[in-house]
Structures are given as structure tokens and as C-alpha cells.
């Protein structure tokens, strides 16, 4: 079976903002709600949900985290050409 993962993310412009939001989520804020209110990605409407994808479908920095990070733990800030992401892997098939 091919590797696949589902993940959700929050995209913001600065590392500082990313760290603030991460602290809020770790303090109990709802990831999807924080995504809706803060993420600049169109996925914010769906709580940051990126759906299911395989290796190579996302930018390299993203891929690295998605296919190695523990499930349901907020990762980041992850810097890409788009900005700074908080990333949570919600499921993975290796």
C-alpha cells in the first residue's frame, strides 16, 4: 500500500505569530477554530484540513514533517515559501 497521510495546518506570515497560535492550541484552544480565525490558506474554511495526500504532493519541508511526525501532535513552526505553518498529522498509512 502506498504511503498516505491526512493532515491539517495553519498558515501565517511570521514565526512569532505561529508560536503564539501553537501556545494557544497547546493550552487548549481548538485547532480547527484557530485555523478558521487565523490561517491565510483557503483550507482555513475547513479548519485547516488538507485531506489525504501522498509523498511528493506537498512542498518538501511539509512532506518531511508529515511523514515522520507523531500523530495528533502540533508541529511547527515549519517554514516554507508560503510562510510559517503549524501542522498536525491526523492519520498516516506507511
Amino acid at each position: 500500500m502506498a504511503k498516505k497521510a491526512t493532515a491539517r495546518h495553519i498558515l501565517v506570515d511570521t514565526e512569532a505569530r505561529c508560536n503564539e497560535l501553537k501556545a494557544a492550541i497547546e493550552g487548549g484552544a481548538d485547532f480547527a477554530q484557530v485555523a478558521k480565525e487565523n490561517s491565510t490558506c483557503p483550507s482555513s474554511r475547513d479548519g485547516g484540513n488538507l485531506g489525504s495526500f501522498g509523498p511528493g504532493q506537498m512542498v518538501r519541508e511539509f512532506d518531511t514533517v508529515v511523514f515522520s511526525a507523531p500523530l495528533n501532535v502540533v508541529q511547527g513552526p515549519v517554514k516554507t515559501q508560503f510562510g510559517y505553518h503549524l501542522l498536525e498529522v491526523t492519520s498516516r498509512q506507511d
Side-chain angles (χ1 to χ4, degrees):
M1 180 185 259
K3 277 186 157 192
K4 269 206 151 350
T6 57
R8 55 189 185 168
H9 82 136
I10 296 168
L11 174 62
V12 294
D13 293 338
T14 68
E15 189 171 9
R17 185 75 183 125
C18 212
N19 281 317
E20 276 172 33
L21 297 177
K22 184 177 188 181
I25 293 165
E26 287 173 343
D30 179 62
F31 190 104
Q33 195 58 42
V34 173
K36 282 185 176 129
E37 292 169 6
N38 298 278
S39 183
T40 59
C41 179
S43 68
S44 64
R45 287 192 297 273
D46 191 24
N49 201 345
L50 295 169
S52 178
F53 51 90
Q57 289 184 260
M58 298 286 176
V59 293
R60 188 180 46 81
E61 300 93 336
F62 223 74
D63 246 23
T64 303
V65 175
V66 168
F67 290 99
S68 66
L71 297 181
N72 305 309
V73 177
V74 178
Q75 305 294 316
V78 177
K79 188 181 193 310
T80 70
Q81 73 257 40
F82 303 107
Y84 293 87
H85 306 258
L86 291 179
L87 182 57
E88 185 182 53
V89 184
T90 50
S91 73
R92 187 168 55 227
Q93 298 163 338
D94 290 320

